[in-house]
Amino acid sequence: MDYSQFLYMKEELSLVAVILIVFLADLFMNPEKRYSPGQARFATILPVVLMIIHTVINLVPVAGNLEAFGGMYQYTPMQTIIKAVLNIGTVVVFFMAAEWLKLEDTAIKRGEFYIMTLCTLLGMYLMISAGHFLMFFIGLETASVPMAALVAFDKYRHHSAEAGAKYILTALFSSALLLFGLSMIYGTCGTLYFDDLPAHIDGNMLQVMAFVFFFTGMGFKLSLVPFHLWTADVYEGAPSVVTAYLSVISKGSAAFVLLTVLIKVFAPMMADWQEVLYWITIVSITIANLFALRQQNLKRLMAFSSISQAGYIMLGVIGGTASGMSALVYYVLVYAAANLGVFAVITIVALRSHKFTIEEYAGLYKTNPKLAFVMTLFLFSLAGIPPFAGFFSKFFIFMSAFQAGFHLLVFIALINTVISLYYYLLIVKTMYITPSENPIPTFRSDACTRISLAICVLGIVGLGIASIVYQTIDKFAFGM
């Protein structure tokens, strides 16, 4: 065996090194000083610094396509880009979590939070770089199982244990369906290698069923309609930091993997999966926006918002083109900045005042004007209002679908953008205009939360100005 092949997996290997260092550091920390400010500061800084180093050393893509272990592991430069996006999002989540992990019942589990989060990220890495469905499934489960533990992290508060149970049951069910589809693929094709499968796929009935089961499993991971029923309950019950990670990092990796598999494996069945995606996209965007209008809890509203955003992301998938891939990765990057920013505000407000509903945000501008202002910026970006990056991300993803010939689909998505504008601006109106006799009290955010908010503001403003970001992503895109 040629062990030099492991060098092709430098991103995965450096992430494993980060996990081991964080694990050993947590193992040898003095448990009696778990609540001391010095140890809390070190425990926060260490994983953040390690992740920044890991991101920087792996930021520049290697030229050309590589493969290892007979094609089970594949590398393309675009994978480095999407992994860097996931890394940056994870660093922001770590900053957001710092204050929450100082609480009495979470400080003792601080190390476990970082390790499990990094393990889910490793699973997403394996999914993204898979060249074989077995590797893909291993990555999927590596990402899913620790995520269930994260969802149930606050098991004694806020229905977190219930959310964890719902998530793991849904994840198991969706994984079983997906695996059933993969067994059908193997039964009809005799192989699970991505490069070999297109020559054996002719669109027969069993292969159509295989695709349906595979897409059903991925639909659960992406929380697309009608596979979305777990989303609102899990988002509401999970800790806000975990909800932020689940809504952005997990969704972004799953969307990229779905596009890659459709391009590499199911290209001969393009007409079939485009028809499925067409209707799934319409119902996901429309139903999610309509249900979001009725929500009072901010985390539930953001859950339906994330379902709608997943529908928009599918606009980049449906064409199967290089421009669609570029638009998808750029959209995930911008969406990460805006959505993580919203959840950073929700997290710090919940920690300081234990308030989660929209009406409880009334008068926030008078008591915490800076927080209300940045929340407004993030909501404007999610709604696609110029000049923020959210406008350009929607423009590029609409353009990719329009160029692929899905004109009516783009028109329906535009109408839904107007609907989403209502519930985003409803939050803004509540913060600035709606009076309150008992507003959220004035408070000062901790330094880590301020850093996370600054990164997210820089993202939604800077990504809309710096065209070089999209041009760089576009340079490494590939399609059918």
Side-chain angles (χ1 to χ4, degrees):
M1 180 179 175
D2 183 10
Y3 291 100
S4 64
Q5 295 177 96
F6 283 101
L7 297 177
Y8 297 157
M9 303 177 66
K10 63 172 188 170
E11 291 154 335
E12 286 77 11
L13 292 176
S14 62
L15 183 58
V16 169
V18 171
I19 294 171
L20 289 175
I21 293 171
V22 173
F23 174 78
L24 292 173
D26 181 68
L27 182 65
F28 290 105
M29 281 183 185
N30 188 344
E32 297 178 0
K33 297 182 179 179
R34 181 74 65 173
Y35 302 102
S36 66
Q39 190 173 106
R41 195 177 301 113
F42 174 76
T44 300
I45 291 173
L46 178 64
V48 168
V49 170
L50 290 174
M51 279 301 296
I52 291 172
I53 294 171
H54 162 70
T55 304
V56 170
I57 63 176
N58 293 301
L59 191 59
V60 179
V62 177
N65 298 337
L66 305 171
E67 65 175 42
F69 312 112
M72 290 196 74
Y73 179 92
Q74 294 184 345
Y75 171 84
T76 62
M78 182 57 91
Q79 292 171 0
T80 296
I81 304 295
I82 190 66
K83 288 175 183 176
V85 172
L86 302 182
N87 292 343
I88 295 168
T90 304
V91 170
V92 174
V93 169
F94 284 173
F95 277 122
M96 289 167 52
E99 186 73 3
W100 168 64
L101 289 172
K102 292 178 183 176
L103 299 177
E104 185 177 355
D105 58 341
T106 53
I108 194 69
K109 301 180 287 186
R110 188 186 292 119
E112 285 85 343
F113 171 79
Y114 291 122
I115 292 165
M116 286 191 294
T117 304
L118 293 172
C119 285
T120 64
L121 187 63
L122 178 62
M124 295 172 199
Y125 273 26
L126 295 176
M127 283 171 60
I128 290 168
S129 297
H132 187 282
F133 271 122
L134 182 59
M135 174 75 81
F136 162 82
F137 190 74
I138 291 171
L140 182 69
E141 291 307 294
T142 306
S144 296
V145 175
M147 184 63 76
L150 288 171
V151 170
F153 208 75
D154 270 347
K155 62 181 179 179
Y156 298 119
R157 302 182 321 172
H158 305 312
H159 308 292
S160 186
E162 179 188 348
K166 287 181 179 179
Y167 182 82
I168 192 64
L169 289 173
T170 306
L172 290 172
F173 182 63
S174 63
S175 296
L177 288 174
L178 190 146
L179 199 58
F180 191 35
L182 298 188
S183 68
M184 290 183 178
I185 291 174
Y186 185 75
T188 58
C189 301
T191 181
L192 290 175
Y193 284 96
F194 290 177
D195 290 339
D196 297 337
L197 280 168
H200 300 279
I201 289 180
D202 54 13
N204 62 55
M205 188 53 64
L206 197 56
Q207 290 174 355
V208 170
M209 287 296 296
F211 168 75
V212 168
F213 282 113
F214 167 79
F215 185 79
T216 299
M218 293 302 294
F220 275 108
K221 306 301 180 187
L222 285 160
S223 59
L224 294 167
V225 176
F227 318 110
H228 69 291
L229 298 177
W230 61 273
T231 312
D233 290 339
V234 170
Y235 278 35
E236 183 182 10
S240 299
V241 173
V242 176
T243 303
Y245 186 83
L246 183 61
S247 69
V248 174
I249 313 302
S250 178
K251 195 179 296 290
S253 62
F256 182 83
V257 170
L258 176 62
L259 175 58
T260 304
V261 171
L262 292 179
I263 288 174
K264 290 184 175 181
V265 176
F266 291 105
M269 295 172 58
M270 184 176 183
D272 296 313
W273 59 255
Q274 280 185 334
E275 183 73 18
V276 172
L277 270 180
Y278 186 91
W279 295 108
I280 291 290
T281 302
I282 291 175
V283 296
S284 294
I285 297 173
T286 306
I287 292 177
N289 280 330
L290 293 177
F291 272 83
L293 296 175
R294 304 175 64 248
Q295 303 305 313
Q296 290 301 313
N297 185 290
L298 260 178
K299 290 173 74 174
R300 291 185 73 90
L301 185 147
M302 294 308 297
F304 286 104
S305 167
S306 76
I307 297 169
S308 171
Q309 298 289 350
Y312 289 123
I313 291 173
M314 290 302 102
L315 293 174
V317 176
I318 194 169
T321 60
S323 63
M325 178 175 284
S326 303
L328 183 149
V329 174
Y330 183 74
Y331 194 98
V332 169
L333 176 59
V334 173
Y335 173 62
N339 215 52
L340 290 177
V342 169
F343 274 105
V345 175
I346 292 173
T347 300
I348 195 63
V349 168
L351 288 172
R352 296 287 192 264
S353 64
H354 304 288
K355 294 185 176 180
F356 292 96
T357 65
I358 296 174
E359 61 183 19
E360 289 174 332
Y361 275 62
L364 183 66
Y365 173 70
K366 293 182 179 179
T367 57
N368 297 275
K370 293 179 181 178
L371 210 58
F373 177 69
V374 295
M375 181 72 154
T376 303
L377 298 185
F378 299 138
L379 292 170
F380 279 0
S381 183
L382 285 173
I385 298 175
F388 302 106
F391 168 78
F392 298 100
S393 66
K394 278 191 168 59
F395 173 79
F396 288 129
I397 210 152
F398 287 169
M399 185 175 67
S400 69
F402 192 87
Q403 289 175 342
F406 298 96
H407 305 153
L408 180 60
L409 182 60
V410 172
F411 178 71
I412 295 171
L414 282 169
I415 294 174
N416 275 278
T417 303
V418 178
I419 299 174
S420 68
L421 192 62
Y422 172 81
Y423 58 79
Y424 289 134
L425 293 182
L426 181 65
I427 303 172
V428 177
K429 177 245 183 187
T430 303
M431 293 190 299
Y432 282 85
I433 300 174
T434 304
S436 175
E437 297 179 358
N438 184 29
I440 293 170
T442 302
F443 62 84
R444 180 173 175 79
S445 304
D446 63 288
C448 288
T449 298
R450 293 200 297 274
I451 292 171
S452 66
L453 289 171
I455 294 171
C456 293
V457 170
L458 182 64
I460 63 170
V461 175
L463 291 172
I465 298 171
S467 60
I468 189 173
V469 176
Y470 182 79
Q471 291 170 352
T472 302
I473 293 172
D474 191 52
K475 186 165 62 175
F476 297 111
F478 61 90
M480 286 190 290

